[in-house]
Amino acid sequence: MSKTIIISNRLPLQLKIDNDSIEATPSVGGLATGMKSVHSDSDGIWIGWSGLTEDCLTPQLHKKVNQTLKEHQCSGVALSQEELDGYYFGFSNDTLWPLFHYFMEYTRFERDTWEMYQKVNQKFADKVIETYKDGDTIWVHDYQLLLVPQLVRNQIPEATIGFFLHIPFPSYEVFRTIPYRKELLEGLLGSNLIGFHTYDYERHFLSATQRILGHEINFNTVQLENRNVVVDSFPMGIDYQKFHKAAISHDKKDKKNKSEVQQEIDKHLKEGSKAKLILSIDRLDYTKGIANRLRAFEYFLEKYPQFKGKARLVMLAVPSRSDVPQYQLLKNEIDQLVGRINGRFAEVSWTPIWYFYRSMPFENLIDLYTSSEVALLTPIRDGMNLVAKEYVAARVDKKGVLILSEMTGASKEMSEALIINPNNFEEIADTIKYALEMPVEEQIKRNSAMQKRLQRYDVERWASDFMEALELTQQHEKQIALKKLNTTIKNHMFSDFKKAKQRILFLDYDGTLAPFQKIPEHAKPTEELYTILDAIYELPDTKLIIITGRDKDTFNKWFGHKPYTLITEHGAWLRETGKDWELMEAVGNKWFEVIAPILETFTDRTPGSIIEEKNYSLAWHYRNVDPDLARKRAVEVKTTIQHLIANHNLEIMDGDKVLEIKAGGVNKGKSATKMLMNTDYEFIFAIGDDWTDEFMFKELPESTYTIKVGFKKTKAKYYVEGTKEVHQLLKDFASAL
Ligand code: GDG
């Protein structure tokens, strides 16, 4: 039976060594919960680091650790302290984490940590490859493992691989600064499906992919030469019922069953303090905007002194990555700020900030969620922010106000919260006041709407949606696979080829016989290609036609000395073996004088674009233009010349990063069909890669073997992968007779 393999940096277990024995406690975090059904159903395996470095394990303990992990359907990736330092504390947390959260000033680029990141990603990939069986599904998580999808794909080309990023994907302008940006994108593109929390991260990723790697993007699909990669957003939810139910039973507890934290809170309320609690919970991380929050709260007390003694900030900061100097500095800054503000405002019966620097058990978290009238979450950047969702889920009576930074992924879904800019103290201060004074009906209305959504789109639904979307990418791959030119079809085709008395082959040039080049002149034929084509040409009763949109002069230079039949400019010109060039269609170019000046003005305003003047057509190439600008300009060009096109009986062809204006009715389909007129061909073959070749696929007789190069949508009957496969196919034709 096929299974799901989950891969994340840490395993969903806490291991403790106790007198040579191992104690394992399952994690209760969001990810572990969300993946529960994916993991436990179908014998899933979770691959990750156990949390114990190899250096502190004896061989016996190592064995025991592996045994314990196995019992929990986990498999450990062994890491030494040196590997952990380079891969995790180094490249993951000193480079990717700050940069992906727009903290450029904290970002360090170091060759050593990058090398360790690659090495450790390979270790994770090796473990996946070792565990993989045919039909398994692979789901990789987060920024520590960006290279794993491609590393796995290198060894298992047919694998189904999903990737989810839990943190933001930054804008192209920020991402491009990474020296290894290409490698990181290529690593991710080993996936079939890449998921982000929000559409913004998705579009940043697509933009970076298009600009850095030059891949074509079709809606949310990246078109690679031999595969498609789907990119989509899946906002992660929480285990709603867990928080909601815990809050219900919390409210029912009698005094003796209450936690210490809750008893403290109760005591404070009983002492007659009218202070409303404003809660914040985060890992102590510079992305979470903790210092900003404290300063904004200080400003709030200054601006609205009437709240002194009536509002209190309860701040839980969970220790995190405390070995990293950046985090130690932050801790000092927070300690000082809390001290200063408390010193400045405290009264005998009231301190403005209660500060906890520690992790609390789940039930204390519920105490805090249920006792706080306001939650104030002000990250500078945050991929999602689950605390916001948990707070709302725990408000059983639907009272309470969520103030949420617009820089969190969660703010995109939780529009009923009070959304603030974490850098605007004025706005935060005013919003805190508004929250503390918000009428109960308004609180209930806002929270009801959010609760409904959180309940519906919970973490299980998130995981199952992702898995379904991943499955769907396979259906698309299967459809492509069905049309791939396999050995059976090939044998059938070669047998028809042999049987036929007369044969004709139409071969497109760019992207079919020669790989696509950034500079068109660079695509000239190689000696190897000439040899292949010569061999076909010499076959008896076989007509070889190269059919192109290129201009006749270039083709004359490249193929003039060869005896093959040439059709250029989509069918404007024909050169038969041993003859001169002749016009296939009565076309003119008087219209150039009207259209060319318009194209020139666009070229001046569109850096990277060029005009190619052919004998009977004008092509406006934009393959080197910024992709967004190109898309916009192409529409503008079409709109501007629309009426002239109709007046001069012209047509616009929307090719691959080119707009071509030419006489109406001239296309590869029409010219190829003409070539069939005087001979009864029993075998017809047409192959091409782009949109202009679709005319051949549509208009040639039904019996034609039509073949598309690359896996874009097509009318052709079969697919081949790229020019290499085309060359092999032609060699096979040459030796078939
Ligand atoms: C990353 C992204 C994205 C916190 N303190 C305690 C405690 N927690 C739990 C909360 C919550 C989780 O930790 C924190 O999740 P966040 O989403 O707020 O933040 P990150 O840890 O930075 O997570 C983030 C997330 O991945 C998921 O994709 O949302 O943007 O940065 O569940 O309840 N739990 C306990 N004691 C604590 O003291 N028991």
Side-chain angles (χ1 to χ4, degrees), residues 193-448:
L193 173 68
I194 304 175
F196 297 98
H197 280 306
T198 73
Y199 174 66
D200 281 341
Y201 310 154
E202 174 189 334
R203 73 185 169 79
H204 290 158
F205 171 77
L206 288 173
S207 158
T209 302
Q210 191 170 38
R211 283 150 200 259
I212 293 167
L213 300 180
H215 292 312
E216 216 172 294
I217 311 289
N218 194 358
F219 297 105
N220 63 340
T221 303
V222 184
Q223 296 186 324
L224 305 183
E225 199 175 306
N226 55 358
R227 287 187 305 116
N228 288 337
V229 182
V230 178
V231 181
D232 212 340
S233 54
F234 302 86
M236 188 174 174
I238 54 163
D239 185 350
Y240 182 87
Q241 288 308 338
K242 178 176 148 191
F243 284 89
H244 198 70
K245 283 184 181 153
I248 293 175
S249 54
H250 169 275
D251 290 349
K252 288 185 187 148
K253 273 185 194 160
D254 51 27
K255 188 168 174 223
K256 65 177 188 312
N257 286 323
K258 285 187 178 175
S259 70
E260 235 174 89
V261 170
Q262 188 59 48
Q263 290 187 32
E264 269 309 302
I265 295 172
D266 288 349
K267 202 163 95 196
H268 142 87
L269 293 174
K270 218 164 143 196
E271 275 164 4
S273 166
K274 297 217 175 50
K276 289 190 174 179
L277 300 184
I278 302 171
L279 174 68
S280 82
I281 297 184
D282 342 66
R283 273 185 311 102
L284 190 100
D285 195 293
Y286 50 82
T287 60
K288 303 286 182 183
I290 302 173
N292 272 23
R293 182 180 314 152
L294 288 168
R295 292 200 182 92
F297 184 64
E298 180 181 25
Y299 181 66
F300 160 76
L301 292 175
E302 254 169 43
K303 187 170 178 186
Y304 300 109
Q306 68 270 33
F307 285 100
K308 283 185 198 163
K310 297 208 181 98
R312 166 175 283 151
L313 180 63
V314 183
M315 196 171 85
L316 173 61
V318 182
S320 169
R321 302 172 200 166
S322 43
D323 298 348
V324 180
Q326 218 62 263
Y327 288 74
Q328 290 158 0
L329 286 175
L330 178 68
K331 162 89 174 46
N332 290 343
E333 187 188 0
I334 306 290
D335 287 352
Q336 283 176 16
L337 269 171
V338 172
R340 185 167 62 73
I341 300 169
N342 275 345
R344 182 172 167 204
F345 292 101
E347 294 166 5
V348 180
S349 60
W350 173 76
T351 35
I353 303 166
W354 275 356
Y355 170 41
F356 304 91
Y357 174 63
R358 61 178 131 119
S359 170
M360 288 195 181
F362 175 72
E363 67 163 332
N364 292 152
L365 222 56
I366 298 296
D367 294 337
L368 293 175
Y369 284 149
T370 48
S371 311
S372 308
E373 282 85 355
V374 175
L376 176 64
L377 306 172
T378 59
I380 308 291
R381 288 281 162 184
D382 208 343
M384 172 52 73
N385 195 300
L386 298 179
V387 172
K389 296 186 170 183
E390 293 166 2
Y391 173 73
V392 173
R395 306 303 298 177
V396 176
D397 59 6
K398 298 188 170 54
K399 290 183 203 152
V401 184
L402 172 64
I403 303 177
L404 182 60
S405 160
E406 67 179 53
M407 309 296 175
T408 60
S411 71
K412 300 278 176 295
E413 294 164 78
M414 307 183 82
S415 53
E416 294 83 359
L418 301 179
I419 307 291
I420 49 97
N421 173 349
N423 301 308
N424 186 341
F425 293 178
E426 204 69 48
E427 186 186 32
I428 298 176
D430 294 349
T431 308
I432 296 175
K433 177 174 183 287
Y434 185 77
L436 292 168
E437 292 172 345
M438 186 187 281
V440 169
E441 306 77 60
E442 184 179 339
Q443 298 177 23
I444 293 177
K445 195 166 162 217
R446 287 172 183 266
N447 287 329
S448 305

